[in-house]
Amino acid sequence: MSKVRVRFAPSPTGYLHVGGARTALYNWLFARQQGGTFVLRIEDTDLARSTEESVRGILEGMKFLGLDWDEGPEVGGNYGPYFQTERLGLYREYAQQLMDAGRAYECFCTPEELEEQRRVQREQKLDLHYDGRCRHLTEEQKQAYRAEGRVPVIRFVAETEGQTVIPDLIRGPVVFPNNQVDDFVIIKSDGVPTYNFAVVIDDALMEITHVIRGEDHIPNTPKQIQLYKALGFPIPAFAHIPMILGSDKTRLSKRHGATSVTQFRDEGYLPDAMVNYLALLGWGYDDSQTLFSRAELIEKFSLERVSKNPAVFDFQKLQWMNGVYIRELSLDEFYEKTLPYLHNAGLVPGEPSAEQKQMIMAVLKEMQSRIKLLSEVVEMSRYFFTEDFQYNEDAARKILLKGEGKTVLEHLRQALSQVQEFNHAELEPVFNGAVESLGLKLGKVIQPLRVAVTGTNVSPGIYEVLEIVGKERTLARIDRALAWIAQAEQA
């Protein structure tokens, strides 16, 4: 068997979404496991919708996920160009070869004439298909149409007898009657190839051995197999992977939440977590194992274990998995990954001093086990870096205004002002003393101070928080909370 060559061939009409990323991942894993070649090809023949921005978005998404390609944009290779718009001459050459062999012809039908064909077929309850009326035009008829200003498309002469069998590596044999395929367009009137034609030429010339793609391409495959045969190209192996659905069991889209890889990146998902989760959307090795390193995925991945059934995208499971990967980072790695979020929020400088970095690291040490997304570090740690934070209204009213909140803060304000060093050893006696003096449980003492210092009733341990915030800021925040209580009581 020849060396495995697979490709991911996105259309640059938008950013890399999770469905495309999962397809790219399965191709990448298969290539890496088989010691093969992973090709990235940009199918940019949709001239009206393809953009440079989308190309950049696709490349960014691939790089973020760590799906390095062996051939393609920015890398090169022996089978380029890797943008379809740079290969237009090749498509015309093979279209002419089909015409010379009697397997393609010029069609001069106008859109209005084609619609009239379909209208008649609908009335007669026939399958909608092109009726082949231009297949046998004489040269005189062609010249007459050109004189009218008509510009032809080129259609492929499809086989209508028998059947086409797709030996799908995931689904087994898929059979299509050939009478379902009409004479389809391979070159449009502007000289640009259609998808089905360009993909066959490219995959054949790039010697792609396995075409691994979404199941939405199954209906295209009989047409492509006919083209492979007509051109004398070897037919690659096909593997059509299941769709990805949202929680409502409809096709995953923006209404379900983030779908582009770059948006997941910006929200604070780690590439290893994304790769791990995407791999499990349709593939599984062992029901007892959920977390896989890249090396394990490469070792264990196989097309035989890819499901035929649609996969449901579970945002909660992905967040959980991302939290696991965040906790596995070293503190230095966590710092490097969260610093941009804190900087963009205006909480820390882009290049902190040694003293500032020490403080940030202390904060992050407390936050690392609590967040599921890197972006969460901003709101969950805001109170460490700025006095400009809001009280959680429910927590403030429940804890500061009711019960002993005011009394506790007044007591702690006095006691903490006498503490010289804000560390666990110095602070613990203060709280024990408050418990004894006020006759309250420790939680009833801690919570009012927690709300005063952090704005909320959920935070790391109170001793760790106070040590990072420091004495001066702690006392100022208690004063702020007491002023807020006084104002609320007067309202």
Side-chain angles (χ1 to χ4, degrees), residues 252-269:
L252 188 69
S253 66
K254 291 181 180 178
R255 71 177 181 276
H256 296 107
T259 57
S260 77
V261 169
T262 48
Q263 189 175 350
F264 280 104
R265 176 199 64 190
D266 295 344
E267 289 183 3
Y269 288 90

Side-chain angles (χ1 to χ4, degrees), residues 82-109:
Y82 295 93
F83 286 82
Q84 285 187 331
T85 50
E86 299 175 14
R87 300 170 63 85
L88 297 180
L90 287 169
Y91 309 129
R92 297 190 188 104
E93 176 185 334
Y94 282 97
Q96 186 62 51
Q97 180 178 319
L98 289 172
M99 291 177 68
D100 293 342
R103 293 304 307 273
Y105 59 93
E106 292 178 315
C107 171
F108 291 83
C109 293

Side-chain angles (χ1 to χ4, degrees), residues 177-321:
N178 285 340
N179 60 15
Q180 293 182 0
V181 181
D182 62 1
D183 290 359
F184 54 92
V185 176
I186 57 174
I187 300 289
K188 294 178 284 188
S189 59
D190 60 2
V192 175
T194 59
Y195 165 76
N196 281 316
F197 188 55
V199 75
V200 167
I201 302 302
D202 291 342
D203 284 346
L205 297 185
M206 293 182 182
E207 298 183 8
I208 300 302
T209 60
H210 295 73
V211 174
I212 304 168
R213 59 189 180 185
E215 67 176 16
D216 52 324
H217 285 288
I218 290 177
N220 294 323
T221 311
K223 295 179 180 180
Q224 294 168 14
I225 289 177
Q226 286 202 26
L227 285 167
Y228 278 109
K229 291 179 177 178
L231 290 164
F233 291 143
I235 300 173
F238 290 96
H240 291 96
I241 59 182
M243 302 297 289
I244 300 177
L245 306 180
S247 56
D248 58 359
K249 304 301 174 65
T250 62
R251 187 168 182 174
L252 188 69
S253 66
K254 291 181 180 178
R255 71 177 181 276
H256 296 107
T259 57
S260 77
V261 169
T262 48
Q263 189 175 350
F264 280 104
R265 176 199 64 190
D266 295 344
E267 289 183 3
Y269 288 90
L270 296 175
D272 285 345
M274 287 293 298
V275 165
N276 190 159
Y277 184 71
L278 289 174
L280 298 178
L281 284 177
W283 171 86
Y285 180 76
D286 184 337
D287 291 341
S288 65
Q289 184 173 359
T290 303
L291 301 174
F292 294 85
S293 68
R294 287 177 190 256
E296 288 177 313
L297 287 173
I298 291 172
E299 176 192 353
K300 299 179 186 303
F301 181 80
S302 68
L303 294 173
E304 290 76 17
R305 288 185 176 271
V306 175
S307 173
K308 302 183 184 74
N309 301 318
V312 176
F313 197 98
D314 185 338
F315 286 88
Q316 289 186 331
K317 183 174 181 179
L318 173 58
Q319 282 195 9
W320 165 80
M321 187 174 288

